[in-house]
Amino acid sequence: MGFRSAWAAAGYEATRLRTRRSTFGVFGLAMFGSALATLPAARAAVNSGNPQAHVAWVVAGGSAGMILPGTVAVLAAAWLGAGLVTEDYRHGVGLTTYTRLPRRGAGLVGKLFVALIVGIWLASATRLAAYLTALGGFALTRGSVAASHISLGAVLTLPTPAESCFAAFGGMAGVLCAPVLRLRLLAVPAAWLLAALTAALLPGSHSPYTLDIVRGMTELGLPVEQTAIALPETLVCTLLLAALYALRRRRID
């Protein structure tokens, strides 16, 4: 598996995504979903009496942002990433793919790279949608005393490093889950759960599931710190090997 083969595979997969209307539809739905989560968060911030202190929280998606940064972006990236694999086995697309790119390992690397870039783009798109929605939501409440002096810094239009990383990770996890689970509808939630587990195990995580995971480790007699470090890496490496094996063994009709 050479660099040129992986690069050619990435270019091929990027062209496939760029020329499909469904890709733009997923981006549109992701931005709409991010905006939809922002409106109630803006209302809650205004009702809190000190909305300026909650501006960053609102743009991050409110409660959804506290569970997993860029949740909508992760799901959308996982959907597109899983589609790079599952669509190879529908409508004869795989015959074209593996005729042009016979090295399936290089093809998988190309898919992972494209999913990473798409995830970063989705994180940027959903964050921009949330920012614009927050601007509109606060503008509608300018009449109230609490919302009369709200200002949103331009820096909030940019996704946080966590949002970008998790969206990219979600897209790549979707690529890895799809060969193993075969169905996109199964691969997407599996990829999201893997991203959520990783987020919950990070230092300083705000995930509500962190305490439950730590309690489970303690009951099993596992060292918490060592397990928290090794568990995500072990799962990803195992999933990568399983995906490579599944791709090499699966026949294309």
Side-chain angles (χ1 to χ4, degrees):
M1 182 180 67
F3 174 79
R4 289 185 179 180
S5 298
W7 184 255
Y12 173 75
E13 299 296 345
T15 301
R16 284 174 56 187
L17 281 179
R18 190 171 59 248
T19 55
R20 283 206 308 257
R21 286 181 296 178
S22 60
T23 302
F24 298 97
V26 171
F27 267 80
L29 286 174
M31 295 179 71
F32 176 75
S34 179
L36 201 62
T38 304
L39 280 176
R43 187 180 300 110
V46 172
N47 293 334
S48 69
N50 186 16
Q52 184 62 49
H54 297 84
V55 164
W57 177 80
V58 171
V59 179
S63 298
M66 296 296 289
I67 296 173
L68 182 67
T71 302
V72 177
V74 171
L75 288 170
W79 179 266
L80 292 176
L84 292 175
V85 176
T86 57
E87 290 182 5
D88 280 339
Y89 301 92
R90 296 175 56 192
H91 313 299
V93 177
L95 293 175
T96 303
T97 299
Y98 292 117
T99 298
R100 295 183 177 184
L101 306 165
R103 295 184 177 181
R104 298 195 182 190
L108 181 63
V109 173
K111 295 176 193 294
L112 289 172
F113 179 74
V114 171
L116 183 150
I117 299 300
V118 168
I120 294 174
W121 285 350
L122 277 165
S124 300
T126 53
R127 169 54 74 116
L128 179 61
Y131 180 85
L132 295 177
T133 306
L135 279 178
F138 287 133
L140 293 176
T141 58
R142 289 295 185 186
S144 65
V145 177
S148 58
H149 302 292
I150 296 177
S151 63
L152 278 75
V155 70
L156 291 178
T157 59
L158 301 176
T160 64
E163 288 173 344
S164 297
C165 289
F166 277 110
F169 180 75
M172 293 190 293
V175 171
L176 296 178
C177 289
V180 179
L181 299 176
R182 301 290 185 103
L183 295 176
R184 185 189 285 190
L185 291 177
L186 296 178
V188 172
W192 184 86
L193 287 173
L194 181 58
L197 175 64
T198 304
L201 294 177
L202 287 179
S205 173
H206 297 288
S207 172
Y209 307 113
T210 301
L211 293 178
D212 295 330
I213 295 174
V214 172
R215 190 178 301 112
M217 293 179 186
T218 304
E219 292 177 356
L220 293 173
L222 299 174
V224 175
E225 293 186 5
Q226 292 83 346
T227 304
I229 295 173
L231 183 59
E233 297 177 357
T234 302
L235 290 176
V236 171
C237 290
T238 302
L239 186 58
L240 175 60
L241 293 175
L244 282 170
Y245 178 79
L247 282 177
R248 290 182 180 275
R249 297 290 295 177
R250 189 170 181 180
R251 295 179 58 185
I252 302 175
D253 299 325

